[in-house]
Amino acid sequence: MTLHLDDLRVRHLGECRHDSPLSAMLAAKRTSPHYVAEGDRVLLEDTVSMLAEHGLPPEDLPSFEAAGPRRKIYFDPAQVTAGIVTCGGLCPGLNDVIRGLVQELTVQYDVKRIVGFRNGLRGLTARHRDDTIELTPDRVRDIHNAGGTILGSSRGAQDAEEMVDSLLLRGINVLFVIGGDGGMNAATNLAAAIRARGLDIAVIGVPKTIDNDLPYTDQSFGFQSAFAQAANFISSVSIEAAASPDGIGIVKLMGRHSGFIACYASLARNAADIVLIPEVPFALEGEDGLLARVERHVRSKGFVVIVVAEGAGQDLLAERGLLEGGATDASGNAKLGDIGGLLRETITAHLTAAGLAPTVRYIDPSYAIRSVTANAYDSVYCLRLAHAAVHAAMAGRTETAVVRWRRRFVHVPMPLIISHRNQVDPDGDLWMSVLEATGHLGQQQPLLVER
Ligand SMILES: Nc1ncnc2c1ncn2[C@@H]1O[C@H](COP(=O)(O)OP(=O)(O)OP(=O)(O)O)[C@@H](O)[C@H]1O
Ligand SMILES: O=P(O)(O)OC[C@H]1O[C@](O)(CO)[C@@H](O)[C@@H]1O
Ligand SMILES: [Mg+2]
């Protein structure tokens, strides 16, 4: 998809007429290698060839509005009631973001009232809209020491008009939605319903997903903490497999459609022999298939370690009638078949038939990965995203997500965040690193299936 400058402009509620409490600090600031001034923009692309292809002057190149405080703001902070909601699956750092939002709103902007909606967007329905948490600096002081979200989260559909009614009834004029593709979809619909009614309510998204599958963001918050935890399970399984005759270690990691956790966790330990992700189809049978490769590893090295993303090999499950076609969860996400179970069974059967005596160590750490607290790096990242989100809201941006893009914090129109899915590119350098680390680079890629 080719994007033009106009596709990257974010919506404003109106002219910024109020002096920001941060205006004095901003007065002398200019763009530098470490700061982007409020009038400046951040390029979408970053290679000479990609930029040259546009044949445009720099100011017309596709670029994002820089995030950060403005000297003039749209809302009078004294009149603001903010709302916060967390939706979808858990992710390390949710509490850090909530804490950062509350601290920035109260300390820098002196906003007096912040309402936390409970259990995801369900909390914005008529039935639950009054059961909220008053968020104060005292209430959030220590919440970053725990994983999960103090607000709770959920899946499942809600009516946009009903949610707008809730915002009106609760007097919310700034809503922060921390969510994944589903949450950003819902927030986009909500913002559209607000716009259709001509209301003065800002909706700001803080994109979240441990799968790292949202586009236009360098890496999603919490991802680093999640793959660090996943890497510990790879170490455990490697130790177990290495200590067993004909040892087979298998770790199944989250990642419905994108294998980022599997790739990064594997690279972090560099102990995996085979990495299977949804983006790269593979065959089980045949000389170049997975089973033959596993057997070769076991015969030559004595054991094998396989890291598999949950969304990998779904076609193999479907072929065997092990996939409930079309089944979805409450939010409409596809329910997946158990690729880890299929690997365990077929590998055991194959190696046994080949005269080996495999010992299989299979771990599916699942929720033990995404429920951890954010590490120090992610905590900083979450706090800075929260600051950017508050500045965006106070400056009247709406239908806007705050992200880090090429190491700068920027504003992205929310519809872009849901325009497609971020996936591991089989021709990109991340997958090349995985092939290098697993010793597959330079060989014909035996796990790839001709399609
Ligand atoms: N296409 C959509 N349009 C409107 N609302 C949606 C859509 N998809 C999901 N939602 C709503 O957004 C909320 C969160 O969605 P979902 O459960 O898919 O998690 P998510 O935000 O994608 O997070 P994650 O992918 O990290 O689990 C749910 O309440 C769901 O009903
Ligand atoms: O069991 P739940 O809460 O639906 O979440 C599972 C899913 O959440 C995700 O992390 C995406 O949010 C997937 O990788 C995983 O399959
Ligand atoms: Mg999702």
Side-chain angles (χ1 to χ4, degrees):
M1 179 171 57
T2 307
L3 290 172
H4 304 284
L5 180 55
D6 283 341
D7 301 320
L8 306 181
R9 296 193 194 281
V10 294
R11 281 197 60 227
H12 295 213
L13 285 172
E15 197 187 329
C16 291
R17 294 206 172 97
H18 298 275
D19 282 329
S20 163
L22 297 160
S23 59
M25 186 266 286
L26 293 171
K29 280 199 172 288
R30 304 277 176 274
T31 293
S32 75
H34 308 290
Y35 178 76
V36 188
E38 64 180 276
D40 206 347
R41 298 182 67 90
V42 174
L43 289 171
L44 170 68
E45 289 138 343
D46 69 351
T47 71
V48 172
S49 65
M50 284 193 272
L51 293 174
E53 217 169 279
H54 290 283
L56 292 170
E59 63 275 15
D60 293 338
L61 287 168
S63 60
F64 293 115
E65 182 175 70
R70 265 61 192 164
R71 275 174 267 189
K72 291 278 185 188
I73 55 178
Y74 178 75
F75 285 107
D76 172 3
Q79 306 301 320
V80 166
T81 297
I84 304 178
V85 63
T86 50
C87 27
L90 295 184
C91 171
L94 285 166
N95 280 335
D96 294 74
V97 176
I98 296 167
R99 180 172 179 260
L101 292 171
V102 173
Q103 289 175 336
E104 187 72 1
L105 284 163
T106 53
V107 175
Q108 296 302 337
Y109 288 95
D110 207 17
V111 167
K112 299 282 186 263
R113 184 127 197 272
I114 308 168
V115 172
F117 292 95
R118 286 180 198 270
N119 299 320
L121 295 170
R122 203 179 82 131
L124 278 150
T125 57
R127 186 160 170 215
H128 300 286
R129 63 173 62 123
D130 293 320
D131 176 24
T132 50
I133 302 178
E134 293 295 314
L135 294 169
T136 61
D138 269 357
R139 176 69 187 83
V140 301
R141 183 173 302 118
D142 300 320
I143 63 174
H144 58 306
N145 294 323
T149 157
I150 56 156
L151 297 179
S153 193
S154 68
R155 301 196 188 276
Q158 291 78 31
D159 179 59
E161 298 298 336
E162 191 177 333
M163 293 196 284
V164 179
D165 290 342
S166 299
L167 296 178
L168 284 173
L169 286 164
R170 298 304 309 267
I172 307 290
N173 31 25
V174 162
L175 179 71
F176 298 96
V177 181
I178 310 167
D181 54 334
M184 291 302 113
N185 233 311
T188 306
N189 294 346
L190 181 62
I194 289 169
R195 183 160 26 109
R197 289 204 214 174
L199 298 170
D200 207 23
I201 302 175
V203 180
I204 298 295
V206 184
K208 166 242 44 159
T209 156
I210 61 153
D211 291 350
N212 195 40
D213 60 356
L214 294 173
Y216 306 110
T217 171
D218 285 348
Q219 212 170 59
S220 46
F221 75 80
F223 174 70
Q224 198 182 91
S225 309
F227 81 70
Q229 173 78 339
N232 292 334
F233 289 98
I234 297 177
S235 292
S236 306
V237 110
S238 311
I239 291 165
E240 284 285 340
S244 313
D246 301 343
I248 313 293
I250 305 173
V251 185
K252 182 170 100 171
L253 297 174
M254 281 190 171
R256 274 188 227 267
H257 306 285
S258 304
F260 288 104
I261 296 181
C263 289
Y264 273 86
S266 299
L267 291 174
R269 284 295 181 269
N270 204 3
D273 300 298
I274 296 172
V275 180
L276 303 170
I277 59 173
E279 296 88 336
V280 181
F282 65 95
L284 281 176
E285 316 289 344
E287 203 184 319
D288 288 337
L290 178 75
L291 298 174
R293 172 169 283 264
V294 166
E295 183 181 338
R296 283 198 291 275
H297 270 288
V298 174
R299 290 196 188 279
S300 61
K301 180 179 161 189
F303 69 98
V304 66
V305 176
I306 303 169
V307 174
V308 58
E310 63 176 333
Q314 294 297 303
D315 53 334
L316 303 174
L317 291 156
E319 281 164 16
R320 287 162 177 76
L322 298 171
L323 195 59
E324 205 187 326
T328 55
D329 69 11
S331 290
N333 301 303
K335 282 193 181 166
L336 301 180
D338 180 14
I339 185 64
L342 180 69
L343 294 186
R344 179 172 49 189
E345 281 161 34
T346 51
I347 290 172
T348 305
H350 176 86
L351 294 185
T352 307
L356 297 166
T359 308
V360 181
R361 304 296 190 214
Y362 173 49
I363 303 185
D364 177 358
S366 186
Y367 303 114
I369 284 172
R370 66 180 197 185
S371 55
V372 298
T373 51
N375 65 16
Y377 175 90
D378 271 327
S379 286
V380 173
Y381 187 14
C382 290
L383 185 64
R384 297 189 68 195
L385 280 171
H387 291 171
V390 171
H391 298 315
M394 297 307 291
R397 291 346 183 231
T398 189
E399 249 174 285
T400 296
V402 291
V403 306
R404 196 175 59 187
W405 182 246
R406 309 203 187 289
R407 304 204 66 76
R408 312 274 201 186
F409 288 88
V410 301
H411 295 162
V412 178
M414 228 181 239
L416 275 188
I417 298 285
I418 46 175
S419 60
H420 63 278
R421 184 173 281 128
N422 190 26
Q423 288 193 296
V424 178
D425 180 356
D427 294 321
D429 60 359
L430 173 61
W431 187 240
M432 194 165 24
S433 290
V434 172
L435 296 179
E436 285 178 76
T438 50
H440 296 180
L441 194 68
Q443 303 169 24
Q444 190 197 3
Q445 291 177 19
L447 298 179
L448 276 173
V449 166
E450 290 291 325
R451 296 229 152 177

